[in-house]
Amino acid sequence: MELKSKTDKRIIIEGQVNGNTLYLLVDTGASVGLIDYNQIRMYGIKKGKMFPSTLVGASGDMMAWHCYQLVDIGDKQVGQFLIADIDAVVRSIARETGITISGILSLPQMAMLGAVIDTNNKNIKNMKIAHRGYFFILFFTKL
């Protein structure tokens, strides 16, 4: 399977949640996948338990909640998302690309899919496996 980016400025791919289309920024520097808190109602996503520590991201410290919703990407389902207010990132990417993202797909999520990112052609190839379970992701947090 091959997914083509929706823009040539960043790698942004299309996904589906509860029958609705959303766009995810592929961020190889992200250690955790995020869904924007401000968009969860639009997609029928419910917050889970509060994440036990504060995330440190490009837009500063963030509170987060577990997200148990799977996102369909091509013929695969991806989990491992947290819900956080990433509105500053969403607005920045929209200004740059004209696309409103709803979340960030992290490097560990891409690795679980066996994906190969082709930065020259802005696409993602070789997504081989589907993962439905949950696991703990290690990343820097501020206690």
Side-chain angles (χ1 to χ4, degrees):
M1 176 178 52
E2 183 171 305
L3 299 172
K4 186 79 174 152
S5 177
K6 298 298 177 185
T7 176
D8 61 352
K9 297 178 192 256
R10 300 280 188 135
I11 299 179
I12 297 174
I13 59 173
E14 186 176 299
Q16 297 281 322
V17 170
N18 296 325
N20 298 300
T21 299
L22 62 92
Y23 297 100
L24 299 168
L25 173 69
V26 174
D27 185 347
T28 59
S31 57
V32 64
L34 299 170
I35 299 291
D36 184 30
Y37 175 83
N38 302 295
Q39 298 182 47
I40 61 174
R41 280 190 185 150
M42 180 170 42
Y43 297 110
I45 298 172
K46 294 182 174 115
K47 289 188 309 185
K49 291 182 180 179
M50 181 171 271
F51 193 68
S53 62
T54 303
L55 300 181
V56 179
S59 56
D61 293 355
M62 299 177 285
M63 292 183 1
W65 293 265
H66 290 278
C67 177
Y68 304 109
Q69 179 70 49
L70 296 172
V71 175
D72 296 320
I73 298 176
D75 62 353
K76 309 294 180 213
Q77 289 188 312
V78 182
Q80 310 302 324
F81 287 98
L82 292 176
I83 297 168
D85 185 351
I86 58 169
D87 188 58
V89 174
V90 171
R91 285 185 282 115
S92 174
I93 296 298
R95 277 193 302 274
E96 181 184 348
T97 66
I99 298 171
T100 300
I101 64 167
S102 298
I104 296 171
L105 193 66
S106 69
L107 184 61
Q109 290 168 312
M110 298 303 297
M112 284 188 316
L113 293 169
V116 174
I117 302 170
D118 179 350
T119 57
N120 290 328
N121 295 314
K122 302 273 191 293
N123 62 19
I124 298 171
K125 303 178 192 180
N126 298 336
M127 290 178 40
K128 299 175 184 172
I129 61 170
H131 181 77
R132 292 179 177 263
Y134 294 93
F135 70 99
F136 294 101
I137 300 171
L138 298 176
F139 54 93
F140 293 103
T141 60
K142 183 176 178 181
L143 299 175

